[in-house]
Amino acid sequence: MTRYGPMYGPDVTFLGVPPCAIEEPVTYADADVVIVGAPFDGGTSHRPGTRFGPSAIRQACYLPHDGSRPSLALRVDALRDLCVYDAGDVEMFGGDIERSLHALEQAVHAVAAAGAIPVVLGGDHSIALPDATGVARHHGLGRVSLVHFDAHADTGDVEFGSLHGHGQPMRRLIESGAVRGDRFLQIGLRGYWPGPETLTWMAEQRMRSYEMTELVARGLDECLTEAFRTATDECEGVFLSVDVDVVDPGMAPGTGTPEPGGLTSRQLLDAVRRVCYELPVVGVDVVEVAPPYDHADITAYLGNRVVLEALSAIARRRRDAAGGSPWDPRQPLLDDR
Ligand SMILES: [Mn+2]
């Protein structure tokens, strides 16, 4: 597998965690988590630029890049409590989507096969197909459910004459059998796409899509609690796919297909924490961060914190499983947790 190395900026790791090499499994044999960069925007339908996403997400932080991030809320240091490596960027040529997605799937599968959780930094959302497929190939096709935060359903069929693109990965995952339609939980949909034909197809697959209107009417937490009950039914693991455009463009402007009226960044971070603390997450991707449209790195910072929130919650889940009192956000901060 080829790495881009310094193609899209300095060849640095996520907040200074140690590097590893995908083609040398011995370099991540003890990993709990491996970060994989997917600098690909060849599947974009509108504004490109997510090829610069992995580099921006890795670096967007005002603290020392020292491989340590003690979570104030969760009282864990995910980058130290877990064994986290960064494999760098998979070579993904924007003009060859099939070869690029294949290369990423091989990398993600190698991480899962090593017993680690792949955390993929996108890249446009077409990468969710190889990400979830690579994980499902290891854990079992149809045995991994998908929790999908997005403004868009990403269930298009053929777009621009192609089966692959950032508006279609969820349909391809269901068609291939990698993920069951009735174990697909979508959160944050809104706007003016897709049309009735696609919505009918989604209903036939028994996908569960929580639109913003329902989230507003019922409350995000109640909807998450309901979704979580389905997520582990006949599934051992959960893949978490976070499209940063689920957040309102006012709080996440750096993205290619912004849709007004989304979640706040606070809501997304709390929701990601709940997913990774309450569910057995076996893979994560954070996609659609497009630095060319970002202002003051707002969206890159959010992407960085989504990754940290996920890792911190995974670390806390493991600590609590090994004994100790469960995390309670109502407890005062300075109590020993
Ligand atoms: Mn998407």
Side-chain angles (χ1 to χ4, degrees), residues 303-325:
N304 181 284
R305 271 15 184 186
V306 166
V307 173
L308 278 180
E309 205 64 52
L311 297 183
S312 301
I314 289 166
R316 180 71 196 223
R317 176 182 168 88
R318 291 188 180 188
R319 192 176 96 185
D320 291 356
S325 49

Side-chain angles (χ1 to χ4, degrees), residues 26-249:
V26 66
T27 62
Y28 52 97
D30 57 343
D32 296 307
V33 171
V34 175
I35 310 268
V36 177
F40 181 77
D41 51 25
T44 311
S45 60
H46 196 57
R47 308 190 297 196
T50 58
R51 70 180 63 185
F52 301 105
S55 176
I57 295 169
R58 281 190 179 100
Q59 298 181 59
C61 188
Y62 54 84
L63 292 164
H65 292 227
D66 57 358
S68 168
R69 283 296 178 275
S71 162
L72 202 53
L74 288 168
R75 295 303 172 99
V76 289
D77 186 338
L79 302 186
R80 292 199 170 160
D81 296 355
L82 301 173
C83 183
V84 183
Y85 295 104
D86 189 333
D89 289 345
V90 174
E91 187 181 278
M92 301 180 77
F93 173 52
D96 191 343
I97 194 163
E98 294 201 6
R99 180 161 59 95
S100 295
L101 299 188
H102 177 74
L104 181 58
E105 183 183 315
Q106 297 304 105
V108 170
H109 179 256
V111 171
I117 298 173
V119 174
V120 185
L121 313 179
D124 74 50
H125 220 158
S126 47
I127 67 167
L129 173 62
D131 293 344
T133 302
V135 167
R137 272 172 56 202
H138 176 69
H139 293 278
L141 300 179
R143 306 297 289 180
V144 174
S145 61
L146 214 138
V147 178
H148 171 207
F149 289 88
D150 206 327
H152 313 97
D154 291 0
T155 47
D157 190 0
V158 175
E159 307 279 345
F160 312 109
S162 175
L163 286 168
H164 298 295
H166 76 157
Q168 299 143 273
M170 308 317 171
R171 186 184 288 242
R172 299 287 98 83
L173 282 169
I174 293 171
E175 285 176 342
S176 73
V179 179
R180 287 167 53 162
D182 61 358
R183 292 297 176 274
F184 233 101
L185 302 156
Q186 303 192 296
I187 295 152
L189 309 192
R190 60 188 186 274
Y192 302 89
W193 186 88
E197 239 176 79
T198 300
L199 292 177
T200 301
W201 182 86
M202 290 165 64
E204 285 166 2
Q205 312 310 312
R206 301 182 59 220
M207 297 176 76
R208 183 64 170 95
S209 305
Y210 294 88
E211 296 174 43
M212 278 307 302
T213 45
E214 183 177 355
L215 298 180
V216 168
R218 297 178 62 198
L220 176 60
D221 263 317
E222 183 185 319
C223 293
L224 288 176
T225 300
E226 182 181 275
F228 289 1
R229 281 198 288 269
T230 311
T232 47
D233 184 13
E234 296 176 11
C235 283
E236 285 83 47
V238 172
F239 188 92
L240 169 65
S241 188
V242 179
D243 187 326
V244 79
D245 70 27
V246 74
V247 167
D248 191 87

